[in-house]
Amino acid sequence: MSNESLANLLKEERRFAPPADLAANANVTAAAYEQAAADRLGFWAEQAGRLSWETAPTQTLDWSNAPFAKWFADGKLNVAYNCVDRHVENGLGDRVAIHFEGEPGDTRAITYAELQREVSKAAHALIELGVQTGDRVAIYMPMIPETVIAMLACARLGAPHSVVFGGFSADALATRINDADARVVITADGGYRRGKPSALKPAVDEALTKPGTENVRSVLVVRRTGQEDVAWHEGRDVWWHEIVERQSDQHTPEAFDAEHPLFILYTSGTTGKPKGILHTTGGYLTQVSYTHHAVFDLKPETDVYWCTADVGWVTGHSYITYGPLSNGATEVLYEGTPDTPHQGRWWEIVQKYGVTVLYTAPTAIRACMKWGDDIPAKFDLSSLRILGSVGEPINPEAWMWYRKHIGADATPIVDTWWQTETGAMMLSPLPGVTATKPGSAQLALPGIAATVVDDDAREVPDGAGGYLVLTEPWPSMLRTIWGDDQRYLDTYWSRFEGKYFAGDGAKKDDDGDIWLLGRVDDVMLVSGHNISTTEVESALVSHPKVAEAAVVGATDPQTTQAICAFVILRGGAAEDEGLVEELRAHVAQQLGPIAKPKRILPVAELPKTRSGKIMRRLLRDVAENRDLGDVSTLTDSSVMDLIQTKLPSAA
Ligand code: ATP
Ligand code: MG
């Protein structure tokens, strides 16, 4: 990637200082950056001290076999004890841990004392099913409390879990069960999605007919919908309520080595064969707990926190289960979709529980923009004090919309960059410290070392673009790809010697702040210039008629690649004659003529992965009139038929 071409196409001058009261009372201040810069390992050792260790670590980082890291290796702790029991022992048993809101409107408030009893019973049930320390357990569940309870029960026993997103097919589940060699599967009869029960158990039954899944001894089934006729395999299938309910609610947790495996999580597969990312115990919990405390400024006595991700993604692991619960938070867990039964459902939930900290994804924010400003305006959102974003670059105009319509034009937004592989947040503003810039994750968190380099691994100057790399190991880093150390080395450590390459393009602005530019595979080459899909998309979204945009580079005889854009219009905007020209001119004016799309197609939907990210690879196939590649990770493959009907047959 050449430097000059990515240099500051997009100029963003807006700045938002932290609210004074938040800054004055912030959990973490600017001193944390100084402390970590002076003694990075000492800083992390101190953060590890926020946890309860049965044996406190004396070592911090062992990097002697780099890039295979060991953190806090001589310490011992139990993750479930840290997330549950210690809060009860500290007299907080009556605090609500989870406010569960089912999609049909059923609710359940679970206190820390109750969570301790439930996790203990589930742990005993797993023991009865023969689960031993080190055995892998697959979890294929809807978003219900038992999912979190199951994860914590596994952690309590030192049995690494592999949570597979409940929207994945039987095939995807079988591949993951096979790769991790799981012994038990925890599932449910189904969950509620879009106003009706949606079965899960049949996919487990089908997955277990496939080769490589023979070692699964038991399937533990939660009854959630109660409406399905559940096929039953005697001797293998067990109802959760039958086995869990009769167990003792007292269980003494055992402490495990800090490097004991905690979970395997397969990346969503935007880019090919899923990788089983391995996370371990002490370093992972240290960083998820610290970042949740720092980035959300969590005050466990008064905050009501809500992360809208699915637990099937890393965001759910780190910021629904382990981060918030390790901090003794009160959190909302919502089962369903944002528009069931109406497009204001999320805002109704914020109002109902008095949510103070909301963590969601750009895809959801853009959907809300499309539905219209009047919907959130009907609800009282005044409890909100911090808003978070994760998953994709957030377009500056989506950021502004989020701040204005959800955050009353006052609430700080923390744009958090991280990955399944990093385990926890890596780049983000701090809400009480950083003056935020719409669309930028800005800077590495205290204790994290990140920069942008060029093709030759040299750090780029301010104002230039290149590749995002992490230059020092961090506590919650992946330890390897499950069963494939070589793939770990090749995928993350071979492009730039001694540096972790994240796969994302980024630039530094004139202040040295970092802007994510999308995956390097998505960067376009137009007449000798590298142009970021993210920047062109953001320019389109800054037009008042556009809610969402996806941009790809299609092969072009004159310019190498030509920019082709797919746009979703905001509610009410008409697709009239001059629109396409108007949008092309707008991009040229925002970014310069080089970035002007050759073609712009208004569409009703965009292809997304099941975690809500735009799949540009498929749009490139469309733009180049090719047969579509693998569509198995798409949420809804009919979207592609719709898009193709929009195209003239020749490009
Ligand atoms: P796969 O690795 O299988 O292709 P994935 O990368 O989508 O899947 P995740 O680990 O969930 O799986 O996502 C991490 C990626 O999401 C990052 O590498 C980056 O591309 C993008 N991302 C996450 N947060 C942000 C953010 N705040 N700003 C920009 N990009 C982000
Ligand atoms: Mg990735």
Side-chain angles (χ1 to χ4, degrees), residues 267-271 275 418-421 492 500 502-504 519 613:
T267 49
S268 64
T270 319
T271 49
K275 302 176 276 276
W418 58 294
Q419 308 177 293
T420 307
E421 293 88 339
Y492 305 109
Y500 171 94
D504 289 337
R519 298 164 192 280
K613 302 183 193 202

Coordinates of all heavy atoms in Angstrom, one line a residue, residues 267-271 275 418-421 492 500 502-504 519 613, ligand 2:
T267 N -13.6 -17.9 14.5 CA -13.9 -16.6 13.9 C -15.0 -16.7 12.8 O -15.2 -17.8 12.3 CB -12.7 -15.9 13.2 OG1 -12.1 -16.8 12.4 CG2 -11.7 -15.4 14.3
S268 N -15.7 -15.6 12.6 CA -17.0 -15.7 11.8 C -16.8 -16.2 10.4 O -17.8 -16.6 9.8 CB -17.7 -14.4 11.9 OG -16.9 -13.4 11.2
G269 N -15.6 -16.2 9.9 CA -15.4 -16.7 8.6 C -15.8 -15.8 7.4 O -16.2 -16.2 6.4
T270 N -15.6 -14.5 7.7 CA -15.7 -13.5 6.6 C -14.7 -13.8 5.5 O -14.9 -13.5 4.3 CB -15.5 -12.1 7.1 OG1 -16.1 -12.0 8.4 CG2 -16.0 -11.0 6.2
T271 N -13.6 -14.4 5.9 CA -12.5 -14.6 5.0 C -12.0 -16.0 4.9 O -10.8 -16.3 4.8 CB -11.3 -13.7 5.5 OG1 -11.1 -14.0 6.9 CG2 -11.6 -12.3 5.2
K275 N -11.2 -20.3 12.0 CA -10.0 -20.6 12.8 C -10.5 -20.7 14.3 O -11.2 -19.8 14.8 CB -9.0 -19.4 12.7 CG -8.5 -19.2 11.3 CD -7.6 -18.0 11.2 CE -8.4 -16.6 11.1 NZ -8.8 -16.3 9.8
W418 N -11.1 -4.1 18.1 CA -10.5 -5.3 18.6 C -11.0 -6.5 17.8 O -11.7 -6.3 16.8 CB -10.7 -5.6 20.1 CG -12.1 -5.6 20.6 CD1 -13.1 -4.6 20.5 CD2 -12.8 -6.8 21.1 NE1 -14.3 -5.1 21.0 CE2 -14.1 -6.4 21.4 CE3 -12.4 -8.1 21.4 CZ2 -15.0 -7.3 22.0 CZ3 -13.3 -8.9 22.0 CH2 -14.6 -8.5 22.2
Q419 N -10.5 -7.7 18.0 CA -10.8 -8.9 17.2 C -11.0 -10.1 18.1 O -10.6 -10.1 19.3 CB -9.7 -9.2 16.3 CG -9.1 -8.1 15.5 CD -7.9 -8.6 14.7 OE1 -6.9 -8.9 15.2 NE2 -8.1 -8.6 13.4
T420 N -11.6 -11.2 17.6 CA -11.7 -12.4 18.3 C -10.3 -12.8 18.8 O -10.1 -13.2 19.9 CB -12.2 -13.5 17.3 OG1 -13.4 -13.1 16.7 CG2 -12.4 -14.8 18.0
E421 N -9.3 -12.5 18.0 CA -8.0 -12.9 18.3 C -7.4 -12.1 19.5 O -6.6 -12.6 20.2 CB -7.0 -12.7 17.1 CG -7.3 -13.6 15.9 CD -8.4 -13.1 14.9 OE1 -9.2 -12.2 15.3 OE2 -8.4 -13.5 13.8
Y492 N -0.7 -14.7 11.6 CA -0.6 -13.5 12.3 C 0.8 -12.9 12.4 O 0.9 -11.7 12.7 CB -1.2 -13.6 13.7 CG -2.6 -14.1 13.7 CD1 -2.9 -15.5 14.1 CD2 -3.7 -13.3 13.2 CE1 -4.3 -15.9 14.0 CE2 -5.0 -13.8 13.1 CZ -5.3 -15.1 13.5 OH -6.5 -15.5 13.5
Y500 N 2.4 -8.5 15.4 CA 1.2 -9.1 15.1 C 0.4 -8.3 14.0 O 0.2 -7.1 14.2 CB 0.3 -9.2 16.4 CG -1.1 -9.7 16.1 CD1 -1.5 -11.0 16.3 CD2 -2.1 -8.8 15.8 CE1 -2.8 -11.4 16.1 CE2 -3.4 -9.2 15.6 CZ -3.7 -10.5 15.7 OH -5.0 -10.9 15.5
A502 N -2.9 -7.5 12.1 CA -4.4 -7.7 12.4 C -5.2 -7.9 11.1 O -6.3 -8.3 11.2 CB -4.9 -6.5 13.1
G503 N -4.6 -7.7 9.9 CA -5.4 -7.9 8.7 C -6.2 -6.6 8.3 O -6.9 -6.6 7.3
D504 N -6.1 -5.6 9.1 CA -6.9 -4.3 8.8 C -6.0 -3.2 8.3 O -4.8 -3.0 8.8 CB -7.6 -3.8 10.1 CG -8.7 -4.7 10.5 OD1 -9.3 -5.5 9.6 OD2 -9.1 -4.7 11.7
R519 N -10.7 -4.1 6.0 CA -9.7 -5.1 5.8 C -8.8 -4.8 4.7 O -9.3 -4.3 3.7 CB -10.5 -6.4 5.5 CG -11.4 -6.9 6.6 CD -12.4 -7.9 6.1 NE -13.4 -8.1 7.1 CZ -13.2 -8.8 8.2 NH1 -12.1 -9.5 8.3 NH2 -14.1 -8.9 9.1
K613 N -21.7 -8.0 9.5 CA -20.7 -7.3 8.8 C -21.0 -7.4 7.3 O -21.4 -8.5 6.8 CB -19.3 -7.8 9.0 CG -19.0 -7.7 10.5 CD -17.6 -8.1 10.8 CE -17.5 -8.3 12.3 NZ -16.1 -8.2 12.8
Ligands
MG2 MG -10.9 -11.4 11.5

